[in-house]
Amino acid sequence: MAADVKQQLIKPLNQRQFELYALSLERGPNFEASHIFSAYQVGGSACGCILRDPEHGAFTTLAMRRRVDHLWVRVDEGGPFSTPEAALDHLSISMRGGEPPEPLPPGARRRPPLMQAGARGVSPEFELLAGTVSHVPALMAVGECYLALPKPDANFVTDLQTNNFASRLFELYLLACFREQGLIVQQDHVSPDFWIEKDGAECWIEAVTANSETPRAGGIGDWVHAPEDRRERLTGAPAERFAKTLRGKLQRNYHELEHVAGRSFAIAIADFHESGSMVWSREALPTYLYGLRADVEGEGAHRRAIGTSIANLTGKHGIPAGLFRDPDFAHLSAVIFSNAGTLAKFNRMGFLAGWRPPGLEMIRRGILFDRTPGALEPIDFELTVGSDEYQSLWPWGEAWCQELEVFHNPRAAHPIPFDLIPGATHWFERDGDVECSTIWANSVLSSITHLRMSGEAATSSPDPEETKHA
């Protein structure tokens, strides 16, 4: 009889869904030498996994339960066990299915519920997230990342629901990237936004988004295409927008704060200055940071990329180029960038984690970096999210950090070790050239995710809101 009850209560869990829940752990779903052998859940209140150590062949268990405020907390670790059956017997007990949620620790406050709209109402972006079937996967992923935040500030939910939707979503994306790579993430100070640490290496990170001077210009709206003139795209208004945003943050002198002084400090930035700008504005950022414009010289087989030094950006303000050249900013260790802190990314990750509304299909179309020696053009791709071909682009399938880039300041007083953020693409200066290092054979430079719903909601065109996100 007990065995029958156990079979009814315990069900296999999508491993990627468990990994999303495990973002709430101190080091996220990173278990060092061990890897997830199988995952299970008991209703919506408990989940757990069996881990296998490939070197010793032993099995261990990890059980997590919801608190009364819905946060996941670790409640048990067991093992080692010689067989997965023995491990499952222990896990089935330690998850404590059917018991009430875990209590709040003394002094802990409940964080505001994500779905309870405040007096200011909600923005079109939040309404799209919370009110459409096509974005249910994103809603679930956003919700779990919000619960995984160590200490969100009091305005987080209000901001996410209203005019600061993009900046708060970017913070959730950064958290997922860091925890996925096994970093300890803390928010014990009002600013900067994050402190990350791994194996003794650490860094303070302040997150910011490049926004338009025109209210709501970067939200849902008509697609704004890239400037046709390449120099304008590299050194004009897009570069100036990055420059003004970064300089605005640097004027706050975070490096002089007692808890930051003498330590690595980076600014993480995403671009939302126009609808769709994150798809094409990326190359303006390194142009500004290093003061080098990427040009092409030669013909045919002799074509090659070169870096042309520039003194100023070509926008209307004539901002000096080469932020990293300025010794006054040696306290800036790096600039972290991603064009994937978007609804589309959260929608794909939720979809891959198993939240798949009936009839929803996702098609991701974009360009991959061509690592063939001498190649100057990217590789086009168009694949169904969740297909074997899509999953095979990367050894472990799509990850949060694959679009994360770290631009290192060559004059940094406190450099960031590459190993601190191993899943990012790292850009650095060597012998006057800017080079990159990455663990990924396939790096997406930009993409669009098309949504298609069958049945009553069938449509032959891509979701017009979704296609604006990189």
Side-chain angles (χ1 to χ4, degrees), residues 166-177:
S167 61
R168 294 304 194 173
L169 193 69
F170 184 48
E171 291 177 34
L172 294 180
Y173 166 78
L174 290 172
L175 172 79
C177 286

Side-chain angles (χ1 to χ4, degrees), residues 9 42 45-46 65 95-100:
L9 292 176
V42 182
S45 63
R65 303 191 80 249
M95 287 192 293
R96 308 202 318 269
E99 291 189 15

Side-chain angles (χ1 to χ4, degrees), residues 222-298:
D222 294 334
W223 185 280
V224 176
H225 295 282
E228 293 185 6
D229 182 80
R230 186 171 183 274
R231 292 203 175 190
E232 167 63 17
R233 191 167 67 249
L234 289 173
T235 63
E240 282 206 338
R241 177 55 53 192
F242 280 126
K244 293 173 71 175
T245 303
L246 290 171
R247 286 180 175 271
K249 278 293 181 182
L250 288 168
Q251 288 174 359
R252 300 189 181 186
N253 296 322
Y254 293 103
H255 66 292
E256 295 181 357
L257 295 172
E258 183 178 356
H259 56 278
V260 182
R263 299 180 175 182
S264 299
F265 168 70
I267 296 177
I269 189 168
D271 175 31
F272 290 91
H273 84 277
E274 298 282 8
S275 293
S277 61
M278 70 288 294
V279 174
W280 49 261
S281 65
R282 173 210 166 274
E283 55 189 340
L285 179 59
T287 303
Y288 166 63
L289 294 177
Y290 294 101
L292 292 173
R293 186 184 65 234
D295 292 331
V296 177
E297 68 174 13

Side-chain angles (χ1 to χ4, degrees), residues 87-104:
L88 181 57
D89 284 341
H90 178 84
L91 182 63
S92 66
I93 297 172
S94 62
M95 287 192 293
R96 308 202 318 269
E99 291 189 15
E102 299 296 294
L104 280 176

Side-chain angles (χ1 to χ4, degrees), residues 175-187:
L175 172 79
C177 286
F178 298 148
R179 282 268 173 85
E180 174 186 63
Q181 297 175 79
L183 278 65
I184 292 177
V185 183
Q186 294 181 0
Q187 294 181 301

